[in-house]
Amino acid sequence: MAELQDIGAFVAVATHGGFREAARQSGSSASQLSEAVRRLEAQLGVRLLHRTTRSVAATEAGQRLLEQLTPALDAVTSALDVVNGFRDRPAGRLRLNVPLSASKLILPRILPPFMAAYPEICVEVTVEDSFVDLLRSGCDAGIRYGERMEQDMVALPIGPRTQRMALAASPAYLQQHGLPKKPQDLLQHICLRGRFSSGAMPAWEFHNKGRTVVIEPAGPLIVSLGAGADLAVDAALAGSGLVYLFEDWLRPYMERGELAPVLERWWPAFSGPSLYYPGRRYLPAPLRAFADFIQTMRW
């Protein structure tokens, strides 16, 4: 009978699409995983993975094996996790996949008290702004804003239920270029834009008394939304143009007078983020504790 460790190595590599990423997620090494998969293939007498210098993919036999193994290994993990119910406090690892905005604006208020309440849970946070397949990424749960969830996903509110986008500029910029009085005035101003990883560049949207105005402003700087947002803020602080970002992101600069709010009565509101995770899988004790914890918090 194949060693369970070798089977786990194959599942990790096939799920993550490569030895290097599987090693990063599992805490093992790529060479150890490669040797484990070779042992399993030798024992079964069939090739399970296609290997090239650029990619790794399951063969037809490997895909069939993966489909059969995944629910079985989930059941094993669920059975072992039952032991957590006999502990005074749950223990283990909680893996979260979150956008930069959540890591900056949401988690700093949640994680310190959660880690104090559950010191035996290790929280591992991966920050990326693209929507990911949680199972393939090896994460237990994710945080996202407004994306369409698959039908088998459970979504719980996390953080403030309503947030706003804000527009701001440095006092020096406004003194030199004047204060916009309406959204259409932005077409005559220098604006610092952002682009999603998909390549799309979102327009700037404004709402006031049931009226919506969508602007496609121009400017000399385009940053990647998420990872490059702080660069846009720095440029705005230096007087290079207007920045359009989460209100909570810009609020500290406005409170210190480094940035001034612009068109505040037009700032649009939107629903806050959700914690989501697969509903068909068992709920590991660390994730169950985290889900219960966020529902007790007030914003």
Side-chain angles (χ1 to χ4, degrees):
M1 185 176 179
E3 292 287 343
L4 189 60
Q5 187 174 2
D6 294 349
I7 294 174
F10 160 70
V11 171
V13 174
T15 299
H16 295 296
F19 290 94
R20 188 171 300 176
E21 180 62 20
R24 188 181 72 84
Q25 294 287 347
S26 65
S28 184
S29 70
S31 60
Q32 288 174 324
L33 293 176
S34 179
E35 182 59 32
V37 172
R38 286 196 187 95
R39 283 197 302 267
L40 183 61
E41 289 178 326
Q43 187 167 0
L44 297 178
V46 63
R47 182 176 292 277
L48 301 174
L49 297 174
H50 291 299
R51 302 169 178 84
T52 70
T53 56
R54 294 187 175 182
S55 65
V56 174
T59 63
E60 182 178 356
Q63 186 60 41
R64 292 291 297 274
L65 179 60
L66 182 64
E67 291 170 358
Q68 295 294 317
L69 284 175
T70 300
L73 290 177
D74 280 350
V76 171
T77 306
S78 177
L80 293 174
D81 192 59
V82 168
V83 177
N84 250 332
F86 292 89
R87 302 173 58 93
D88 293 333
R89 289 179 298 196
R93 187 176 299 271
L94 172 63
R95 295 179 174 90
L96 301 177
N97 186 290
V98 309
L100 181 62
S101 56
S103 72
K104 186 178 182 74
L105 306 176
I106 306 298
L107 291 184
R109 183 170 167 185
I110 295 175
L111 288 186
F114 175 75
M115 292 185 296
Y118 298 96
E120 295 180 36
I121 293 178
C122 175
V123 183
E124 181 177 331
V125 180
T126 299
V127 179
E128 57 183 326
D129 285 280
S130 58
F131 195 77
V132 298
D133 183 325
L134 289 178
L135 298 183
R136 288 188 63 85
S137 70
C139 292
D140 300 299
I143 297 175
R144 287 298 183 273
Y145 284 86
E147 288 92 346
R148 180 178 60 84
M149 304 290 178
E150 296 182 13
Q151 291 184 353
D152 61 347
M153 289 289 174
V154 174
L156 295 176
I158 185 171
R161 289 301 76 227
T162 302
Q163 294 180 270
R164 289 197 303 174
M165 296 298 291
L167 183 67
S170 70
Y173 173 89
L174 296 175
Q175 183 176 5
Q176 180 179 355
H177 297 276
L179 179 67
K181 298 293 177 36
K182 56 184 183 300
Q184 292 84 348
D185 293 345
L186 298 176
L187 297 175
Q188 309 304 320
H189 279 264
I190 303 171
C191 299
L192 310 172
R193 300 292 303 275
R195 190 191 301 276
F196 289 119
S197 57
S198 64
M201 188 181 302
W204 289 7
E205 190 170 308
F206 300 91
H207 300 293
N208 183 30
K209 298 180 179 178
R211 184 184 174 197
T212 298
V213 178
V214 179
I215 300 294
E216 292 277 1
L221 178 65
I222 300 173
V223 303
S224 60
L225 287 172
D230 278 328
L231 176 58
V233 174
D234 289 340
L237 291 169
S240 299
L242 291 131
V243 62
Y244 181 80
L245 200 58
F246 289 91
E247 178 185 4
D248 294 338
W249 202 312
L250 299 179
R251 180 58 61 187
Y253 302 100
M254 292 188 286
E255 289 177 349
R256 293 193 297 265
E258 297 169 323
L259 292 176
V262 176
L263 299 175
E264 187 168 2
R265 63 192 179 93
W266 284 91
W267 292 356
F270 57 94
S271 298
S274 296
L275 177 78
Y276 72 100
Y277 51 86
R280 291 183 300 179
R281 298 182 68 198
Y282 74 98
L283 206 60
L287 176 56
R288 184 168 57 249
F290 188 70
D292 291 342
F293 185 83
I294 65 173
Q295 293 180 78
T296 66
M297 295 197 66
R298 297 185 175 222
W299 291 80

